[in-house]
Amino acid sequence: MTPVQVSILVEPGFVPTELALVQDVLRIAGRLGQGIGFDIRLCTTAQTGEVEGIGGMFVRAQALPRRDAALPDHLVVLGGAGIAARFEQIRTRLRGFERMGQDIILLSDAATQWQRLHPEVDKITTHWEDQQVRTIATCGQGGTRPLFTRTGRITTAAGMLSTADVILSLIVAPRSARLAQAVGNVMLMERIRDGQSQQPRSENDVDALRLARIETVILAMEDHIEEPLRLAELAKCAGLSIRQLERKFKSCLGQTPAAFYRGLRLRRARTLIEKTILPIAEISVACGFGSPSGFAKLYTAEFGITPSRQRAQLSGKEMPCHSHSQPQGSTHAPVPLSARSPRTSAHPAGAYETPVQGAWR
């Protein structure tokens, strides 16, 4: 049987997790396939044959084939930092592949770029973080968060670990459902999730918060970023008194509800700074802070860098902060789930905030 031809498009700053999962799923499928083989090729639009991904991983890749060349059965486009700068150029090639009958899978950032260039298309799946940013930036509704969506020959997908589900569902299973299940077993996957399986709502969509009966409170916080709720309103969401709510937050998260709410809004602001071109003043308002100056002071206390300097660094207009600056934190700041003392701050809670609707801004 002729091997299934699969090309993987890697651009500078690609996501190594996604590359590894595409390769490993197809490698294991080829080992178990009993006549079903997969020919995997890495390709790129970069001028050099070596492409660097996030974290310093290098791979060798061929030039992306032209329409007059032998085209693959499937083209998988990885997400990553470099895809945005090249996507205008890549889109024309993708449309050509689509017209020639090739199936195209766009992962994470690639799916986000496809959505940006095709706002008229309703059914496009992106990673939940990008969907969250788009919802805030456009004042839209959150909607559903499926793992992947197929429209014609174009599949848009959340990427990351769900990459394995996408490749098994769309490349392996159509050749052999039994083979797809066998590969899932080798990879210790409990099940192969279909496209309608839902992504998390946010970084706070975890069992520990549900068990502590504060999930509904955090969901209310996430739904009221621009206009924060009063503490009494939050307590009512969980059917608790204010004192009970404060004790639960302290025992589960090591923070007061007000401190957690403020940190949630600051992390949302950081995401908007990193992933949009919204002015800092608009981000301040969108995340429920009373004034840009107060927002800047709280942001600096939390991340060790001012909002404007972080935006400048991301746009390449300024050198990184001097070594005496505090670390600015990771993009995906985790929520502490174990009981511990709250992190001390140089600025006491509320020092640069104005109470609005009874909540600290």
Side-chain angles (χ1 to χ4, degrees):
M1 182 181 295
T2 304
V4 179
Q5 303 292 322
V6 180
S7 289
I8 307 173
L9 182 61
V10 292
E11 297 298 330
F14 67 86
V15 180
T17 301
E18 295 174 355
L19 174 60
L21 285 167
V22 176
Q23 290 181 311
D24 277 353
V25 166
L26 297 178
R27 175 183 60 80
I28 296 170
R31 176 166 65 85
L32 303 177
Q34 296 180 347
I36 303 175
F38 299 89
D39 185 7
I40 308 167
R41 297 184 182 181
L42 303 187
C43 57
T44 185
T45 64
Q47 298 299 314
T48 176
E50 286 192 346
V51 183
E52 183 179 5
I54 297 173
M57 177 182 182
F58 282 87
V59 297
R60 292 188 180 277
Q62 305 171 353
L64 181 65
R66 299 188 177 277
R67 280 182 288 176
D68 55 359
L71 297 179
D73 301 299
H74 303 272
L75 175 64
V76 181
V77 184
L78 303 183
I83 196 71
R86 299 171 179 269
F87 206 80
E88 292 276 3
Q89 168 193 352
I90 293 170
R91 179 176 65 159
T92 303
R93 306 284 293 276
L94 295 180
R95 282 301 192 191
F97 288 173
E98 183 186 16
R99 286 192 292 271
M100 295 293 290
Q102 272 63 53
D103 288 328
I104 300 169
I105 299 173
L106 305 171
L107 300 175
S108 57
D109 302 286
T112 299
Q113 292 305 312
W114 187 263
Q115 182 181 59
R116 181 179 65 84
L117 296 175
H118 299 85
E120 75 285 355
V121 180
D122 292 330
K123 294 184 177 180
I124 293 180
T125 290
T126 61
H127 189 277
W128 66 260
E129 276 197 321
D130 290 327
Q131 182 174 333
Q132 193 178 75
V133 169
R134 180 179 174 83
T135 298
I136 296 174
T138 62
C139 299
Q141 298 296 318
T144 60
R145 300 172 299 278
L147 285 186
F148 58 91
T149 303
R150 182 164 183 165
T151 304
R153 292 195 173 275
I154 302 290
T155 297
T156 51
M160 300 307 290
L161 288 180
S162 71
T163 299
D165 302 276
V166 177
I167 301 303
L168 286 168
S169 296
L170 300 183
I171 298 181
V172 181
R175 274 86 188 178
S176 170
R178 183 204 62 79
L179 176 59
Q181 290 292 335
V183 173
N185 289 341
V186 172
M187 297 187 70
L188 302 180
M189 296 173 64
E190 183 177 351
R191 64 185 179 91
I192 300 173
R193 296 172 292 178
D194 61 20
Q196 295 308 305
S197 298
Q198 293 292 298
Q199 300 179 55
R201 181 188 70 249
S202 72
E203 72 272 21
N204 299 313
D205 193 359
V206 294
D207 288 338
L209 302 181
R210 282 187 280 274
L211 292 173
R213 288 181 56 201
I214 57 176
E215 181 197 26
T216 54
V217 177
I218 293 175
L219 179 59
M221 291 178 176
E222 292 175 338
D223 287 341
H224 295 82
I225 294 293
E226 185 174 353
E227 297 183 355
L229 298 173
R230 294 187 178 96
L231 188 56
E233 294 173 310
L234 293 171
K236 186 177 179 180
C237 291
L240 301 170
S241 68
I242 293 177
R243 192 64 178 272
Q244 288 172 323
L245 182 64
E246 289 178 334
R247 282 200 296 265
K248 280 186 174 292
F249 266 78
K250 279 281 192 176
S251 63
C252 185
L253 297 172
Q255 293 179 294
T256 65
F260 180 87
Y261 206 173
R262 183 173 58 250
L264 174 66
R265 291 184 286 126
L266 286 170
R267 290 194 298 275
R268 192 68 57 85
R270 181 176 60 181
T271 300
L272 291 173
I273 289 170
E274 292 174 340
K275 296 196 173 189
T276 75
I277 58 173
L278 288 174
I280 301 297
E282 289 187 22
I283 292 175
S284 171
V285 173
C287 294
F289 293 96
S291 69
S293 60
F295 164 64
K297 290 174 181 177
L298 288 166
Y299 192 96
T300 304
E302 182 75 12
F303 302 120
I305 187 172
T306 65
S308 57
R309 177 168 287 184
Q310 181 153 23
R311 172 64 62 78
Q313 283 187 4
L314 292 167
S315 61
K317 295 179 181 177
E318 181 178 298
M319 294 297 289
C321 298
H322 298 299
S323 58
H324 63 263
S325 299
Q326 298 176 20
Q328 60 189 80
S330 64
T331 301
H332 308 287
V335 177
L337 298 180
S338 59
R340 65 184 70 175
S341 300
R343 178 167 55 88
T344 58
S345 171
H347 305 284
Y352 300 106
E353 298 174 286
T354 303
V356 178
Q357 294 186 1
W360 287 108
R361 285 197 172 188

